[in-house]
Structures are given as structure tokens and as C-alpha cells.
Amino acid sequence: MPTFRVCRAPLELEALRAELVDPTCGAYATFEGWVRKCNDGEQVRGLTYEAFEPLAVREGERIVEEAVRDLGATHAACVHRVGDLAVGELAVWVGVSAPHRDEAFRACRYVIDEVKHRLPIWKKEHYLNGESGWVNCERCTRPAERAPTASGRRQHLHYGRR
């Protein structure tokens, strides 16, 4: 069953992976998004993620379901952290299992790209110089790239937010 969750606690990767194990699948792909120490030339000491959780979960579940339905994945899941995170911490995780690697890779990429574009989750960076700021979203207005789905239809893939 496709799942999306928002959580405050550090993620248990082995438990997340175990949810996707299936003997009918020959491939497993994952994406991990970590807090980095430098962004746009600024030294970052940490991040704060905030979310409108009811909508984020509902839309996140829809995205994960789309990956399974349209891209040939058998199982997919995504977890996004909220709250204060330090440099090096895991902020977002996506996992996909599928019969073959192409479906797993494409579905994994689709989930993270759509999560970053569609969900009401906001990132505030805290800098070493004592300042902080919400990461702006002008990059998310760039035209979307397109990628084929399992059915051959073209799907929008969005890049650049957060």
C-alpha cells in the first residue's frame, strides 16, 4: 500500500525499507535528502521545516499512489521530516520497489520531484552568521520538464523547490 508520512523524529531506515520488501520485486530504489551545510553561498547550521500536515499527507499519498499506478512500481513510500534539523540529518526519504530497476528509478524520481513541487512544506534555513530565512520559491515557477509514464503518456517533472 502506498504511504506518505510527516514526522518529527529521526527516520528508521531499515524499518522503512522492510515495508517495501516483496518477493515479486527485483529492484529497490531510494532517495535520501539531507540537510547540507552550504546553500547559495551561505553557511547553513540547520533547517526548520513546517507543513500544513493534513494537506501534505493527503497530497503526498496521492503522489505515491500515482507512482504506483502510472510508473510500474509495486510499492512506494515517502516520509518527510518537520521541525528543527541539523546539518547532516535526513530530511526526506523515498523508497520504491518494482519488478525492474527502470520502474523503481523512475517512480522514485517522480515521487521526490512531485513532493518538492506540490506539498505545503516550507523550509527555513538558519545560517552560521545568526541570520535565517525562508527559502524562496521563485525557482519552482520554471517550466516543468516532462518524462514518460509507464503508459507512454508524458508526465510533468518539477525541479528546483526547497
Side-chain angles (χ1 to χ4, degrees):
M1 175 176 180
T3 62
F4 178 87
R5 296 187 294 268
V6 172
C7 75
R8 294 193 172 280
L11 305 181
E12 300 289 334
L13 297 179
E14 285 305 312
L16 292 169
R17 182 182 178 277
E19 293 177 18
L20 303 177
V21 172
D22 184 325
T24 68
C25 296
Y28 169 73
T30 187
F31 172 83
E32 295 180 4
W34 305 323
V35 179
R36 62 183 174 269
K37 70 178 185 174
C38 186
N39 187 38
D40 289 335
E42 296 283 345
Q43 294 296 311
V44 176
R45 67 174 170 80
L47 303 176
T48 301
Y49 281 104
E50 291 186 8
F52 180 58
E53 290 186 37
L55 181 57
V57 170
R58 188 169 60 243
E59 189 66 12
E61 287 173 347
R62 186 174 294 132
I63 290 166
V64 173
E65 288 170 4
E66 290 166 2
V68 170
R69 182 189 68 227
D70 297 339
L71 296 170
T74 303
H75 304 286
C78 179
V79 183
H80 203 301
R81 299 270 313 272
V82 293
D84 295 326
L85 283 75
V87 169
E89 283 193 75
L90 184 59
V92 61
W93 177 88
V94 178
V96 175
S97 57
H100 305 284
R101 68 181 177 269
D102 185 52
E103 292 93 342
F105 284 132
R106 288 188 308 131
C108 189
R109 178 74 182 245
Y110 177 81
V111 170
I112 190 59
D113 288 343
E114 293 299 309
V115 162
K116 291 173 74 69
H117 181 73
R118 290 164 49 183
L119 296 193
I121 298 176
W122 304 279
K123 177 171 76 173
K124 186 175 192 178
E125 292 183 333
H126 305 283
Y127 306 110
L128 287 179
N129 66 9
E131 295 181 10
S132 63
W134 293 100
V135 174
N136 60 38
C137 193
E138 72 245 11
R139 290 175 291 187
C140 66
T141 61
R142 289 190 306 200
E145 293 187 27
R146 299 168 72 76
T149 64
S151 66
R153 290 191 337 240
R154 300 300 282 182
Q155 269 308 71
H156 286 286
L157 296 179
H158 307 276
Y159 301 95
R161 184 170 172 221
R162 285 199 295 257

